[in-house]
Amino acid sequence: HDWGLVLLSLVDITARKKAEAYLEYLGKHDVLTQLRNRAFYADELNRISRKGPWPVSVLAIDLNGLKRVNDSDGHVAGDALLRRAGEVLSSATAGQPWCMARIGGDEFVALLPGADERVAQDLKGRINSMVELNNQFYPGHHLSMAIGVASAARAAEVEGALHAADRAMFDDKSRYYQDGRNERRRSLD
């Protein structure tokens, strides 16, 4: 009946919620490229391996020439190339329920649940087209990616598909250097 004995306390938790959301984002994303990170990729790979949907296609992607750029012009130039790679890969998979992740220095992986090898090859072609377009708008270092593709029809084939995509990527990288587009380094880029 009487509001004289009621104590009301309000606390604004907006800043705390924003900080929590940012920490959650950092736990799942690579800050440099804005793509998913290795931890998210590992979780997604485990989830897909257990539940599908099938088939699952994999793209193993590696930048060509990053070591040369880092050695000649420094890591700031190499980081700029990695950011450009992130832009291309993010744009190529925009609107799709796929996982595009940076899993190491210049290594990326795309997991395409529910996509067969034809869809994966289409994505590879789209990435290559976007790389060419990206190179037209950025002066300086040439962006180049080696890409390998493989598919798995069921859970037992996922590990083999990852290895097959990796081998295909290394074959693509070898062709890049054999074609004389760049000097081959003793260590892999």
Side-chain angles (χ1 to χ4, degrees):
H1 301 288
D2 183 5
W3 288 94
L5 298 176
V6 174
L7 176 63
L8 182 62
S9 176
L10 298 174
V11 178
D12 186 2
I13 61 168
T14 305
R16 186 176 81 201
K17 289 296 185 184
K18 284 183 181 179
E20 288 173 0
Y22 183 63
L23 288 174
E24 183 178 344
Y25 176 85
L26 289 177
K28 296 178 181 179
H29 290 81
D30 174 63
V31 177
L32 185 63
T33 62
Q34 306 303 310
L35 298 173
R36 299 294 189 159
N37 63 17
R38 186 179 195 102
F40 183 89
Y41 159 76
D43 289 345
E44 187 69 359
L45 182 61
N46 286 334
R47 185 191 67 75
I48 291 169
S49 294
R50 285 190 322 270
K51 299 180 181 180
W54 304 104
V56 171
S57 291
V58 179
L59 275 74
I61 305 164
D62 196 88
L63 294 188
N64 292 321
L66 182 64
K67 182 171 176 27
R68 180 185 44 79
V69 170
N70 281 337
D71 290 350
S72 66
D73 294 334
H75 291 279
V76 171
D79 286 353
L81 210 55
L82 285 167
R83 274 191 291 280
R84 287 175 53 197
E87 290 172 11
V88 166
L89 296 173
S90 179
S91 295
T93 57
Q96 298 294 333
W98 299 332
C99 172
M100 180 63 74
R102 178 179 179 210
I103 61 167
D106 64 345
E107 301 168 24
F108 302 87
V109 172
L111 295 175
L112 288 59
D116 60 13
E117 191 151 349
R118 182 191 54 76
V119 172
Q121 290 293 346
D122 289 346
L123 177 59
K124 178 182 176 180
R126 188 170 350 142
I127 291 169
N128 286 329
S129 295
M130 293 179 86
V131 164
E132 289 177 24
L133 186 64
N134 185 278
N135 283 324
Q136 294 175 13
F137 290 99
Y138 285 93
H141 297 290
H142 185 78
L143 179 63
S144 175
M145 297 180 188
I147 304 174
V149 175
S151 292
R154 58 185 188 271
E157 299 173 4
V158 171
E159 192 69 30
L162 292 169
H163 290 297
D166 213 34
R167 279 191 308 273
M169 180 272 298
F170 279 113
D171 290 345
D172 194 28
K173 184 175 273 296
S174 293
R175 282 190 298 277
Y176 172 82
Y177 289 107
Q178 287 172 357
D179 289 347
R181 289 184 249 173
N182 261 318
E183 220 177 89
R184 179 67 172 152
R185 310 282 298 190
R186 285 178 196 227
S187 62
L188 289 175
D189 286 342

